[in-house]
Amino acid sequence: MREENDMSPTSEIRIPQDDERIDVTDLKEVDYWTQWFGVSEERLRTAVASAGTVKDDLRIYLGLP
C-alpha cells in the first residue's frame, strides 16, 4: 500500500519559484528545465556553465527560438 506522501520518481515536476533563472543545485528544477528546453541534463549544465542562469540567455545559447 502506498502512503499519501510518497515522493516517488513519477511525481509531478514542480514549476520553479523563479521562472527566469535556473538553479542547477535543485534537482527538481533541473528536471523541469531539461524538459522545458528539450535537452539532456549534461547539456543544460554545460549551457549554464557557459551562459549563466538566465532563461533567455540559455535559450539563445542553446539555439532555441
Side-chain angles (χ1 to χ4, degrees):
M1 177 192 238
R2 288 179 59 166
E3 293 184 27
E4 287 183 34
N5 293 332
D6 183 6
M7 294 299 290
S8 66
T10 58
S11 295
E12 222 174 281
I13 292 180
R14 168 177 55 102
I15 297 172
Q17 288 183 5
D18 181 353
D19 68 349
E20 294 301 315
R21 294 190 176 274
I22 288 83
D23 178 3
V24 293
T25 64
D26 183 331
L27 296 179
K28 294 268 188 195
E29 280 201 29
V30 170
D31 288 343
Y32 175 84
W33 290 113
T34 56
Q35 287 191 17
W36 175 268
F37 288 120
V39 298
S40 68
E41 180 179 342
E42 181 180 353
R43 182 74 174 126
L44 178 67
R45 290 183 183 279
T46 299
V48 167
S50 296
T53 61
V54 176
K55 178 175 73 174
D56 286 339
D57 294 344
L58 289 168
R59 181 184 52 76
I60 292 166
Y61 178 86
L62 292 166
L64 302 172

